[in-house]
Amino acid sequence: MEERLLRWFEENGRDLPWRRTRDPYRILVSEVMLQQTQVPRVIPRYLAWIERWPTVEALAAAPRAAVIREWQGLGYNRRAVSLHRAAQRVTRSGWPDDLTELPGVGAYTAAAVRRFAFGEAVLPLDTNVRRVIERSGSEFEPEAAAALMDLGATVCLARIPRCAACPLADGCPSRGRRYEPLRKQSRFEGSFRQRRAETLRLVAAGRSSGLDEEAVASLAQDGLVEVRAGLARLPQ
Ligand code: SF4
């Protein structure tokens, strides 16, 4: 199964900018962006980010406000603060053996950096990889990580897999099955998440008062804004 998968990947693998590097900083940036944002939206933002801050040291030295501004529009802005803190920690003390010690880095992101940057023999299990493994009932080596991700993202789709185009179809016990729609992500419109995003946008644009107080308090707690003498601003 794995050989067939790898042959398919050679022909059909996605050419993603973060696959052209083994720099752990660049891999980390891509993985943090991809945590909650789709690949097509991440690509231009990743390229702009790397052009602006090409190294971990450059990001660590950047003002927090600039980092938050650059993140605008990617959503879940807390990730920007965590990424900035992680860069500062790495610049100070190097990459830790346990990458989950870095702010905003969970088990999956740590495994992805270990695999794609450091070449370690770990298989990062994201949603796509898990789905292909579960459905095909096969085991795969860490070398197949990127191929599994692409198969899950483009062929072994969540609801209606494209089994006719799948290199694992011969011998896949789930071939031809259909799946129930996944639970939809909670609505953004009218949510507290939207109020926070709008408030942060206003603060980034220079508004310091007359803001949604609840949203400001929540943003301040996450280190995304500072409140001094009742006025909100991006962290200095
Ligand atoms: S045959 Fe279908 S269900 Fe099985 S791994 Fe391929 S796309 Fe997924």
Side-chain angles (χ1 to χ4, degrees), residues 1 131-133 135-136 151 155-157 161-177 179:
M1 290 288 246
R131 190 165 59 242
V132 175
I133 291 175
R135 289 181 183 171
S136 66
L151 192 76
V155 176
C156 193
L157 304 173
R162 299 170 52 226
C163 301
C166 181
L168 309 181
D170 286 349
C172 174
S174 309
R175 180 181 183 169
R177 280 190 60 186
Y179 298 83

Side-chain angles (χ1 to χ4, degrees), residues 63-104:
R64 174 77 40 92
V67 175
I68 294 170
R69 278 206 179 89
E70 186 69 41
W71 195 272
Q72 291 282 286
L74 277 168
Y76 296 94
N77 296 289
R78 217 179 328 185
R79 291 182 290 170
V81 175
S82 298
L83 187 55
H84 192 219
R85 289 188 178 136
Q88 290 175 330
R89 158 128 192 221
V90 169
T91 299
R92 238 184 1 254
S93 326
W95 291 90
D97 289 339
D98 178 359
L99 295 172
T100 63
E101 288 172 11
L102 295 174

